[in-house]
Amino acid sequence: MQPSSTSAYHVPVLLSESVGGLNISGSGGVYVDVTFGGGGHSREVLRRLTAVGGGHLYAFDRDEDAEANVPEDANLTFIRSDFRWLNNWMRYFGVEQIDGLIADLGVSAHHFDDASRGFSIRFDAPLDMRMNRSGGRTAAELLAEESEERLADIFYYFGELRQARRLASVIAAARQTKPIVTTGDLLRATDALFPREREKKERAKMFQALRMEVNQETEALERMLTDAVGLLRQGGRISVITYHSIEDRIVKNIFRTSTGGGEADAILYGTCRAAMRQVNNKVITPSEEELKNNPRSRSAKLRIAEKI
């Protein structure tokens, strides 16, 4: 399969900083990119593996569109799967420990620019929002099926919207008259709710909340990171790019509190020594040059931690 244009699919954010944070320095290392996307970060990992004499990269992506970007490289194994199954797949391939893992948690430019996916407020398109279109509920189905109370929780916790209950009430009333099945339906139903000066930002938060619930993003992230800490060998590193405060809190908390031994160790030994040491005490953000060349990177934050 021939790779498509990586730049057209997604411009990798904090590329040098995030891959450099893995500290790839010896041959034979095993690394994981759990968010392959356009393949920008994976290609840089592969380039550095070649420079040090080889190693292997396992790359995950649950979106079938990402598969078109996979390069032909004997040192790369692509896995079309949700990264929440990291542990299962590593066992399948006989991998007991990894030397590093990288994650770019943002939604790719490809998803926002493809009208049919329903991720963007720019297009009137079916409200899908699934990263994996082969299964699971769409955003339209979620809006039709969930209670008003549950919708309010989704908008409050995942969108951090102060008017979450009012928003849920407006949607619950609107769906009684006409099903909300497209992005345009949703925007029209909620149009009067958002002040003009904050309209774009508030709408984006509403879409973010629905996307996170549809794809079960927080649950998947917590499971993947916890498993990654357990898989990581001593001195190995995890490099994670986040784009909003909910993701960033999860990453920060797991880096600070994970024991690497799981719940059983915590019960047996009580309070355990944290397994990870944060490499960067302050989050790394894009340079002015990167922000100029790639405006989508403006909310990106990079955290790097090392197994101790």
Side-chain angles (χ1 to χ4, degrees), residues 51-72:
V52 298
H56 201 82
L57 174 67
Y58 294 89
F60 285 73
D61 206 297
R62 57 183 162 180
D63 189 344
E64 62 183 1
D65 290 355
E67 232 170 323
N69 301 314
V70 179
E72 292 185 9

Side-chain angles (χ1 to χ4, degrees), residues 128-268:
D128 192 318
M129 295 195 184
R130 293 172 300 168
M131 293 292 187
N132 179 359
R133 289 183 287 184
S134 65
R137 285 194 303 176
T138 66
E141 290 169 334
L142 184 152
L143 289 173
E145 296 167 0
E146 293 293 354
S147 68
E148 181 179 329
E149 182 178 7
R150 176 60 185 150
L151 287 176
D153 286 344
I154 290 168
F155 292 128
Y156 182 76
Y157 290 112
F158 296 149
E160 300 182 312
L161 288 161
R162 285 178 294 180
Q163 72 274 41
R165 297 207 176 280
R166 189 176 170 205
L167 176 57
S169 177
V170 166
I171 289 172
R175 70 188 181 186
Q176 297 300 316
T177 304
K178 180 181 180 293
I180 300 173
V181 295
T182 69
T183 55
D185 291 339
L186 178 58
L187 294 175
R188 285 186 288 272
T190 59
D191 183 60
L193 195 61
F194 302 122
R196 288 294 174 247
E197 66 274 12
R198 299 200 309 270
E199 182 181 50
K200 186 175 181 181
K201 188 173 183 179
E202 299 289 280
R203 283 177 163 182
K205 287 183 175 182
M206 175 175 67
F207 272 53
Q208 172 187 295
L210 291 174
R211 186 201 81 224
M212 290 181 69
E213 175 66 16
V214 165
N215 296 289
Q216 299 290 293
E217 292 181 24
T218 57
E219 294 92 332
L221 178 58
E222 288 172 352
R223 176 169 181 167
M224 181 275 290
L225 284 176
T226 301
D227 287 349
V229 172
L231 283 166
L232 205 63
R233 71 173 72 251
Q234 188 175 10
R237 291 186 175 187
I238 299 176
S239 181
V240 185
I241 303 167
T242 65
Y243 293 84
H244 55 75
S245 59
I246 301 169
E247 293 173 339
D248 191 54
R249 278 197 299 270
I250 291 172
V251 175
K252 180 170 61 176
N253 288 339
I254 289 178
F255 281 177
R256 285 180 174 175
T257 64
S258 180
T259 66
E263 185 179 358
D265 278 359
I267 293 171
L268 181 61

